[in-house]
Amino acid sequence: MSWIIAMLLVFLLAAGAFFILVGSIGLVKFSEFFKRLHAPTKASTLGVGCVLLASVGYHWLGETDPQPRELLITAFLFITAPIGAHLMAKAALSLHMAERPAQPEGEAVGEGRGPDQDA
């Protein structure tokens, strides 16, 4: 394998890792449900696609026998990720999540007063 092809594979791996990192940071940092749904769906799909493309390139251009599992994983990912995101968005729209008030800041979920405690 030439060094140009190796550098291309390294670039694909680095780009894939970058997009996966951006998608996971977006999942943690965004506040609304729809924004949190958008970040990992788009960025992580592109990141995993780059990593799988680098794996296919490594096995195809190397001296090893190419396996179809990377292509099957890529096809499964590109089919299921948008459909799953679409179904979650439709469920959130039917629950009117965009109209709900924001969660109060100083108190974590489940740490408030219970129904049996006096005010």
Side-chain angles (χ1 to χ4, degrees):
M1 184 179 322
S2 73
W3 66 273
I4 295 173
I5 294 172
M7 291 304 291
L8 179 66
L9 295 177
V10 167
F11 174 74
L12 282 172
L13 285 174
F18 173 74
F19 283 120
I20 291 170
L21 179 68
V22 167
S24 60
I25 289 173
L27 178 65
V28 172
K29 292 292 182 182
F30 284 145
S31 59
E32 292 182 20
F33 174 77
F34 295 105
K35 291 178 185 177
R36 293 181 73 172
L37 179 66
H38 180 76
T41 302
K42 303 297 180 196
S44 296
T45 302
L46 184 59
V48 172
C50 285
V51 170
L52 287 171
L53 190 62
S55 176
V56 167
Y58 176 76
H59 289 293
W60 184 53
L61 297 171
E63 302 301 323
T64 60
D65 187 28
Q67 299 291 324
R69 84 184 86 151
E70 287 96 359
L71 296 175
L72 292 174
I73 292 169
T74 304
F76 183 73
L77 176 76
F78 286 143
I79 290 171
T80 58
I83 291 172
H86 178 73
L87 290 176
M88 286 188 278
K90 283 187 73 157
L93 283 173
S94 69
L95 292 173
H96 303 288
M97 290 189 71
E99 300 170 2
R100 292 185 180 190
Q103 183 177 347
E105 283 299 320
E107 190 174 295
V109 176
E111 292 183 7
R113 285 188 239 232
D116 57 341
Q117 295 176 344
D118 292 330

